[in-house]
Amino acid sequence: MSAAKTHTVWVTGSSRGIGLAVAEKFARKGHRVALHCVHRVETLTRETERLRATGLNVMQVTGDIASEADCFRMAHEIAAVFGPVEILVNNAGIALEEKLLTDCTAEELARVAMTDLVGPMLCAKAVVPHMVSDRAGSIVNIASYLGITGCSCETPYAAAKAGVIGFTKSLAAELAPSGVRVNAVAPGYIPTEMNAEFDEETVRAIANDIPLGRLGSAEEIAEAVYFLAMEETASFITGQTLAVDGGSSL
Ligand code: NDP
């Protein structure tokens, strides 16, 4: 029996949280995985070395996904070590603290839009040419259930994530003739550093509001990303957004 095909995978924002769980999932399945972040590089290095110490084939790249130059440089660095990116997981993202739109500065609105919406497009721009020439490849964007439902006091974030869903559909249509698939996962509430500011009582109230009655885990998101990314499981799926949110978007 021939061994399953392995791929070069770039998971953006994989120094912690959901991205780290996704990177670990692909690496444990035997793929060559580039971990990534921009700010806390020591955390990224620690996690990359932790995975490498268990025999996994991982490397790290650093750069701001809101910078086109950084995105192209990182794609080249990955290609030089592991070969061109064949699976891109656009996971890196930021959120502001909850506040009214009228309390957000123009700089904050631009920062969220650049990181959460333009950044994934720039990463895709950097890897799509090779995917198209290879007539293969897959992109999974991490949206959010808030991009489906909308959310008071999280307008910039929810708007950017709704944009990610639109980006997913549009790029999927653009790349389908080239055999490249583009899908999204829309997570529900997952306890990570992104929402660490909520106290226990608030988190309990959030869990009670989720139809399945509990928070999700980063590993549950990683399972869905892996399913959508792989040709073996999702070869006829493109342009879709899979909510993995315990029913929050119902
Ligand atoms: P975390 O804050 O735990 O992790 C975010 C990751 O993105 C870190 O690795 C961070 O590293 C990196 N990052 C942030 N900004 C940039 C940037 N400009 N360039 C490169 N890397 C960057 O978040 P989560 O794991 O919770 O979230 C992951 C994704 O899932 C995000 O897109 C988020 O919007 C989405 N999501 C999360 C939900 C949740 O409940 N947690 C729910 C729905 C969606 P560093 O800052 O060190 O560079």
Side-chain angles (χ1 to χ4, degrees):
M1 198 170 78
S2 64
K5 189 164 165 30
T6 59
H7 299 288
T8 298
V9 184
W10 180 15
V11 184
T12 69
S14 43
S15 58
R16 60 177 189 259
I18 293 172
L20 179 58
V22 172
E24 193 158 347
K25 170 85 190 174
F26 278 95
R28 292 208 180 283
K29 288 285 189 180
H31 302 283
R32 304 172 294 282
V33 180
L35 282 81
H36 157 258
C37 81
V38 65
H39 301 110
R40 294 198 343 231
V41 176
E42 64 295 345
T43 307
L44 175 70
T45 301
R46 191 189 63 225
E47 293 301 335
T48 306
E49 282 172 1
R50 178 180 65 81
L51 296 184
R52 193 177 290 130
T54 66
L56 302 179
N57 206 359
V58 293
M59 65 176 286
Q60 71 181 61
V61 289
T62 57
D64 187 353
I65 58 163
S67 154
E68 183 169 20
D70 279 12
C71 293
F72 277 77
R73 174 184 50 75
M74 290 188 283
H76 280 116
E77 286 174 8
I78 297 165
V81 177
F82 280 162
V85 173
E86 296 164 302
I87 295 175
L88 168 66
V89 181
N90 265 321
N91 165 81
I94 55 167
L96 303 174
E97 73 271 28
E98 292 188 2
K99 55 183 169 179
L100 297 170
L101 177 68
T102 44
D103 291 333
C104 297
T105 65
E107 185 278 327
E108 286 173 327
L109 300 182
R111 184 151 45 88
V112 172
M114 280 305 293
T115 307
D116 290 354
L117 179 56
V118 178
M121 293 195 219
L122 294 176
C123 292
K125 254 192 93 173
V127 301
V128 155
H130 180 270
M131 291 182 180
V132 168
S133 70
D134 211 26
R135 297 196 61 78
S138 141
I139 297 174
V140 180
N141 298 316
I142 304 300
S144 166
Y145 77 108
L146 299 182
I148 299 170
T149 60
C151 185
S152 164
C153 293
E154 297 220 37
T155 295
Y157 178 79
K161 293 299 188 178
V164 168
I165 294 169
F167 161 52
T168 300
K169 290 188 221 179
S170 300
L171 191 64
E174 204 167 299
L175 297 182
S178 305
V180 177
R181 298 181 303 103
V182 186
N183 290 291
V185 170
Y189 186 101
I190 310 295
T192 65
E193 195 169 308
M194 180 171 274
N195 41 38
E197 82 276 10
F198 294 127
D199 58 29
E200 252 180 58
E201 199 181 322
T202 310
V203 172
R204 240 193 324 273
I206 291 170
N208 284 337
D209 272 352
I210 298 172
L212 281 181
R214 65 168 177 87
L215 309 181
S217 71
E219 289 71 27
E220 287 174 305
I221 305 305
E223 289 296 330
V225 171
Y226 194 79
F227 168 81
L228 286 173
M230 296 301 293
E231 202 62 13
E232 285 78 358
T233 42
S235 53
F236 205 45
I237 303 176
T238 196
Q240 301 305 303
T241 295
L242 178 58
V244 182
D245 64 359
S248 293
S249 56
L250 294 173

